[in-house]
Amino acid sequence: MTEDLWSLLRSTCELQSLIELRLSDAAGTTTPEQEREYRLRRAALAQRHLAAAAITRSDPQEARQDAELTATMLWKHDTLHGGHRGLLPAKHPQWKASNLGDYVRQEADAAGLNPQ
């Protein structure tokens, strides 16, 4: 297995641990920052899965839909809560439905996640 695929697998496992913590929060005490961290990591991972769809033999259409959905979820969260680390905030007029993958990459790069 290549290093890229191992990295993708590690990122997937890391995200799984966040999902388990998120689901165990029955008290509803998840903060907007924690929710953003989950959404950012989920969106960045979806971008990586989309880029690796051919070598992982994933359905490219499903990967594209997941990447678009998770990018939109992150963007909406950041628009509502004002969260962003990258140069352009979510409310900047540059961000449109057609380029939210670029927003995810900007935010992932700023957070040091470096999606492909």
Side-chain angles (χ1 to χ4, degrees), residues 13-100:
C13 291
E14 290 169 3
L15 181 65
Q16 185 64 39
S17 69
L18 285 176
I19 291 169
E20 290 170 8
L21 288 173
R22 188 172 182 246
L23 293 175
S24 70
D25 186 18
T29 57
T30 303
T31 66
E33 292 81 16
Q34 291 168 321
E35 183 68 20
R36 182 185 194 277
E37 180 70 15
Y38 165 75
R39 289 180 186 218
L40 173 59
R41 287 181 176 272
R42 178 69 181 85
L45 185 60
Q47 293 292 321
R48 291 184 67 193
H49 276 281
L50 176 59
I55 60 173
T56 60
R57 296 186 182 127
S58 300
D59 181 342
Q61 183 60 29
E62 284 182 19
R64 183 174 293 100
Q65 288 173 343
D66 188 44
E68 289 171 0
L69 176 66
T70 57
T72 299
M73 290 173 58
L74 173 65
W75 175 77
K76 285 181 178 180
H77 183 272
D78 285 358
T79 299
L80 181 64
H81 296 285
H84 74 91
R85 295 182 186 168
L87 182 63
L88 299 176
K91 291 184 179 181
H92 192 278
Q94 172 178 322
W95 304 123
K96 312 240 183 301
S98 61
N99 69 351
L100 292 182

